[in-house]
Amino acid sequence: MSPPPAFTKNQVYHALNETFGHTDFRPGQADIIRSILRGRPTIAVLPTGAGKSLCYQLPALLLEGTTLVISPLIALMQDQVSALRKLGIAAACIHSALPLEELHQAEADFRAGTLKLLYISPERLNNSYFQSLLQQAPTPTPLVAVDEAHCVSQWGHDFRPDYLQIGPFLQHLNPHRRAAFTATATPELREELGVALQFEDPQLF
């Protein structure tokens, strides 16, 4: 695996301002983004409304290739893709409710390397067709972001069995960077996240 490229503070703040329209980060965002860009496995626990999505969307904008975002909620995926497109960022999602025409377009854009972010449901990870699609990417996956990562906990009411496939999926795909985000997590769950997702020596925020 090639070493992660270095990004200057000016590059990061230029992307923040020019694309997202912000002049500064919210508390914690800059440290999380710095950790991700440096290639450290990263776990971030931030309350709803604290700007979790920017922490992986901005790195995705800077990195070469298509960042994968694993999300359990179709509505959330579609909302984020719509918002990104309004900002001029090439994004798409793949899920079971997607019309066939939109699915084919998302796949074609992925193969062409024009997408910056591709949102997928965890159920796709073991799908052989989707795994084949990943192998057709023109560049290696620069980042995999796991949203709503608390769904990996078998003790939580939001448990999603397919989230247990994320760890093996990451080991097979071996992306340059990996990060997980959740709004609420006890100290025990934070430890569980790193183990279940097979993050090696993660940085916790």
Side-chain angles (χ1 to χ4, degrees):
M1 182 185 300
S2 60
F7 293 94
T8 67
K9 183 177 180 180
N10 285 342
Q11 286 176 299
V12 173
Y13 273 85
H14 179 77
L16 177 70
N17 182 252
E18 290 296 312
T19 302
F20 296 97
H22 304 308
T23 57
D24 206 352
F25 290 103
R26 295 181 183 180
Q29 286 181 323
D31 291 334
I32 295 167
I33 290 170
R34 184 181 301 111
S35 176
I36 292 172
L37 289 176
R38 287 177 175 173
R40 179 82 178 269
T42 302
I43 297 174
V45 182
L46 292 172
T48 301
K52 292 190 298 295
S53 59
L54 180 74
C55 293
Y56 57 80
Q57 290 172 353
L58 192 152
L61 196 62
L62 294 172
L63 297 167
E64 181 183 4
T66 303
T67 286
L68 298 181
V69 183
I70 301 171
S71 175
L73 304 173
I74 290 176
L76 179 61
M77 283 193 275
Q78 294 183 156
D79 286 349
Q80 292 209 9
V81 167
S82 177
L84 287 166
R85 288 175 175 174
K86 289 178 181 178
L87 293 173
I89 301 173
C93 55
I94 293 179
H95 53 74
S96 58
L98 198 66
L100 195 59
E101 182 178 350
E102 293 183 32
L103 172 63
H104 289 165
Q105 186 62 58
E107 292 173 348
D109 291 342
F110 179 79
R111 292 188 188 98
T114 59
L115 293 177
K116 294 308 296 179
L117 294 107
L118 178 63
Y119 287 74
I120 57 173
S121 59
E123 289 77 12
R124 291 275 155 180
L125 302 182
N126 270 343
N127 182 287
S128 59
Y129 181 82
F130 179 72
Q131 292 176 355
S132 174
L133 176 67
L134 290 180
Q135 294 174 7
Q136 300 172 53
T139 57
T141 303
L143 166 64
V144 173
V146 182
D147 204 5
E148 307 294 335
H150 61 274
C151 292
V152 78
S153 173
Q154 299 187 60
W155 302 102
H157 67 280
D158 290 332
F159 173 60
R160 291 279 288 268
D162 288 286
Y163 261 61
L164 296 179
Q165 303 302 318
I166 295 176
F169 170 78
L170 290 173
Q171 292 304 307
H172 176 73
L173 183 65
N174 197 25
H176 290 168
R177 299 164 188 80
R178 56 195 73 188
F181 300 85
T182 183
T184 56
T186 63
E188 292 79 13
L189 176 54
R190 295 171 198 171
E191 182 72 23
E192 183 182 352
L193 289 179
V195 174
L197 297 173
Q198 299 184 26
F199 281 17
E200 185 177 346
D201 188 26
Q203 179 75 53
L204 174 65
F205 296 92

